[in-house]
Amino acid sequence: MPEIAPGAFHYSGFLDAGAQARLARDIAEVIAQAPLFVSRMPKSGLPMSVRMTNCGPLGWMSDRDGGYRYEPAHPETGAPWPPMPRMLLDIWAELTGYPKPPEACLINVYSDEAKMGLHQDRDEADFNAPILSLSLGADCRFRLGGPKRADRTIAFTLSGGDALVLSGPARRSFHGVDRILPSILTPLPAPLMGVGARVNVTMRRVT
Ligand code: MD3
Ligand code: FE
């Protein structure tokens, strides 16, 4: 029963412990080549509470003057984003069945105090392609609404090892992370130890 809302599929425990450890190693390698950075809100310039990096041809970022956007290179090093790990491309094909590979993979790192306000993902030109999310480490209280901010929301727990596919109507839904649950219970796999409490990767089509 993975469909929790029209077009939203929650695969609880999709990655077993071994797969979580392999994904953690791949992500640690990406971070080594493309250091975590802090995006800022457009106009106000206030820092977001998550740290992030990307892999694949395009990466998402935001700053005070340029706003939300995709860029082909890291904002601080100027280097192109590292390639998307094969494991992520394989999971995209398996879970979405989408005929083209993802163009962007955003890696969000949450501390115990970090959160993400209710928002829509609309910086992509292609809204017909699904988004695939994978989580590692601490559980979080996740909130999923509808296409309008005022629509009713459902809240549920996203745990390390879970996969979430947003397709069809869910692709346009508002969503956010209310809070991170105590990370001591479910620490990040060893390769990401010390990086934070929770890591989420989202794969998208952009163009
Ligand atoms: C529902 N990330 O990076 S992943 C984001 O846990 C983002 O880091 C959250 O929202 C995180 O933009 C949530 C699950 C997710 C991703 C994209 C969605 C849920 C979504 C797009 C539409 C609806
Ligand atoms: Fe989002």
Side-chain angles (χ1 to χ4, degrees):
M1 290 292 300
E3 192 165 16
I4 54 171
F9 298 85
H10 181 196
Y11 300 93
S12 195
F14 176 74
L15 301 172
D16 65 20
Q20 290 175 49
R22 290 194 298 279
L23 179 57
R25 182 166 41 76
D26 283 349
I27 292 172
E29 238 161 73
V30 169
I31 292 172
Q33 289 161 39
L36 294 170
F37 63 95
V38 175
S39 276
R40 292 177 176 273
M41 304 297 290
K43 291 185 266 227
S44 76
L46 288 170
M48 298 184 180
S49 64
V50 301
R51 295 189 299 158
M52 60 185 63
T53 189
N54 295 271
C55 56
L58 292 170
W60 188 89
M61 63 162 291
S62 168
D63 55 23
R64 193 191 54 170
D65 298 321
Y68 305 127
R69 63 193 188 276
Y70 284 91
E71 292 283 356
H74 192 286
E76 290 164 6
T77 69
W81 303 109
M84 213 166 313
R86 176 180 348 272
M87 179 178 180
L88 291 179
L89 296 171
D90 289 346
I91 294 172
W92 169 271
E94 176 185 354
L95 284 186
T96 73
Y98 197 73
K100 291 183 264 186
E103 295 170 293
C105 175
L106 170 61
I107 299 167
N108 288 324
V109 175
Y110 292 77
S111 67
D112 286 281
E113 296 80 30
K115 51 196 165 50
M116 187 175 287
L118 205 66
H119 69 278
Q120 261 176 327
D121 292 9
R122 52 179 186 196
D123 305 315
E124 302 80 21
D126 184 357
F127 284 102
N128 297 313
I131 291 179
L132 168 60
S133 138
L134 298 170
S135 295
L136 292 176
D139 292 358
C140 75
R141 193 74 177 151
F142 183 77
R143 190 166 291 280
L144 181 65
K148 294 198 292 274
R149 182 176 287 279
D151 289 339
R152 63 184 320 159
T153 61
I154 56 171
F156 56 97
T157 300
L158 267 187
S159 299
D162 288 5
L164 194 60
V165 175
L166 298 310
S167 59
R171 172 67 181 78
R172 289 168 145 67
S173 293
F174 277 83
H175 58 280
V177 173
D178 290 353
R179 65 194 168 87
I180 303 298
L181 297 168
S183 59
I184 193 154
L185 302 173
T186 47
L188 284 166
L192 288 170
M193 234 181 35
V195 166
R198 171 177 184 262
V199 172
N200 181 269
V201 312
T202 49
M203 284 160 270
R204 308 129 187 273
R205 293 291 300 178
V206 176
T207 62

